[in-house]
């Protein structure tokens, strides 16, 4: 009797596996159908994946959900986008590589790791490049922004829109920072980026590149003394609990890019490409609104929870700028005109 049940159970499991395989095949063959058919209504559902390394309630993730919702609605359900948040599909570097292979369809990443693939993007995140967010947005929404959005094209990626990520500031577990010399010798985590390493070294601290998800334990165990980021990241990662000294130095603004894999893009009809582009721009507007709210809320929360916020003493920002000036020559080489245009944008 027991044997019969075992046989029946095995048959059942095998049939379930077969059904699920044939479903997967249907989904993947639908992507081929999309490129060869021009009448949208005859297309099957295409299920695409979107990678995000921030938590579910973060502005960028919320904007990704909106993007998915709008695309599904405007394509009458032909394109369904599943959002994987919290780095479930890997850290930013791994996700970019997977977009290049077409294993992941969409993402939103910080320009720092992306610039390791497309060097020219370092230009847009040079320290103290913009005077404020308004100037940065004028640049990103104008011809310079369009040019850099298109720059990832040769890397198997299609840039869709820009997201906001505010200004980045240093924080650490050791001491309040009010002047450049206070940073001396601190071990500071940086994004996996040559520019960010150069920046921290130029300031007299020791740069430790590390992926975002490892920073909390790095701070907690003392592998690193500090890191740098914007208010929402400082708060949502709980880094402020283990590194409560935060200095409002605003050393850089690092824009973020929403992208699609070129392999995926080429499978889409022109009509669907247009819908995706439109929804990406729309979701970017949503992200900026959510970002502005979250920046304030995060600042309030970390202050209420005891983070020690300092400002630079008069004359110290100029010292930061002077120390980091050589990075313009190194990472802005060949883009001197564009850098001047950005600085002259009013
Ligand atoms: C910000 C950014 C992330 C990035 C992180 C980092 O939080 O939004 O995309 O991974 O900085 O410092 O690595």
């Amino acid at each position: 009797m027991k044997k019969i049940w075992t046989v029946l159970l095995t048959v059942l499991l095998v049939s379930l596996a077969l059904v699920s395989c044939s479903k997967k095949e249907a989904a993947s063959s639908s992507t081929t159908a999309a490129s060869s058919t021009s009448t949208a209504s005859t297309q099957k559902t295409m299920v695409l994946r979107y990678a995000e390394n921030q938590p579910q309630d973060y502005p960028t993730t919320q904007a990704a959900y909106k993007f998915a919702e709008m695309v599904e609605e405007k394509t009458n359900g032909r394109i369904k986008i599943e959002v994987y948040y919290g780095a479930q599909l890997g850290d930013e570097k791994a996700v970019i590589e997977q977009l290049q292979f077409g294993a992941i369809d969409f993402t939103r990443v910080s320009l720092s790791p992306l610039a390791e693939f497309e060097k020219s993007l370092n230009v847009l995140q040079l320290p103290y490049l913009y005077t404020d967010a308004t100037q940065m947005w004028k640049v990103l929404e104008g011809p310079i922004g369009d040019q850099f959005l298109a720059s990832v094209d040769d890397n198997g990626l299609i840039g869709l829109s820009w997201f906001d990520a505010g200004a980045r500031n240093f924080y650490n577990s050791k001491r309040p920072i009010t002047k450049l010399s206070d940073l001396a010798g601190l071990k500071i985590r940086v994004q996996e980026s040559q520019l960010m390493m150069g920046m921290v070294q130029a300031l007299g601290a020791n740069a430790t590149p590390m992926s975002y998800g490892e920073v909390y334990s790095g701070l907690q165990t003392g592998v690193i003394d500090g890191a740098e980021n914007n208010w929402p990241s400082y708060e949502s990662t709980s880094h402020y609990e283990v590194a409560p000294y935060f200095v409002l130095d605003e050393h850089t603004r690092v824009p973020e890019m929403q992208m699609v894999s070129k392999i995926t893009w080429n499978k889409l009809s022109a009509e669907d490409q247009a819908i995706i582009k439109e929804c990406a721009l729309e979701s970017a507007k949503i992200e900026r609104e959510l970002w502005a709210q979250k920046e304030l809320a995060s600042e309030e929360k970390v202050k209420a929870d005891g983070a020690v916020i300092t400002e630079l003493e008069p004359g110290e920002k100029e010292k930061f700028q002077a120390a980091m000036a050589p990075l313009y020559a190194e990472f802005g080489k060949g883009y001197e005109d564009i850098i001047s245009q950005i600085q002259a944008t009013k």
Side-chain angles (χ1 to χ4, degrees), residues 281-298:
L281 292 173
E282 201 49 46
S283 69
K285 280 194 213 149
I286 295 169
E287 192 269 349
R288 270 172 74 183
E289 279 166 26
L290 295 173
W291 182 263
Q293 295 162 17
K294 179 74 176 171
E295 255 189 336
L296 293 174
S298 296

Side-chain angles (χ1 to χ4, degrees), residues 111-126 148 151-152 155 192-195 330-333 335:
L111 280 201
S112 296
L114 187 57
E116 295 304 297
F117 296 78
E118 175 47 49
K119 297 269 175 269
S120 68
L121 288 170
N122 281 313
V123 170
L124 293 185
Q125 46 173 338
L126 283 166
F148 282 99
S151 72
V152 294
N155 292 282
E192 291 165 294
S193 140
Q194 295 298 317
L195 171 64
E330 190 181 343
F331 293 91
K333 200 164 186 289
Y335 293 89

Side-chain angles (χ1 to χ4, degrees), residues 53-54 92 108 110 168 189 191 212 229-230 233 256:
N53 76 343
Q54 299 289 5
E92 290 183 307
R108 177 285 319 162
S110 165
R168 294 177 76 101
R189 175 269 173 172
Q191 290 175 279
Y212 190 44
N229 223 315
N230 51 51
S233 298
E256 313 203 319

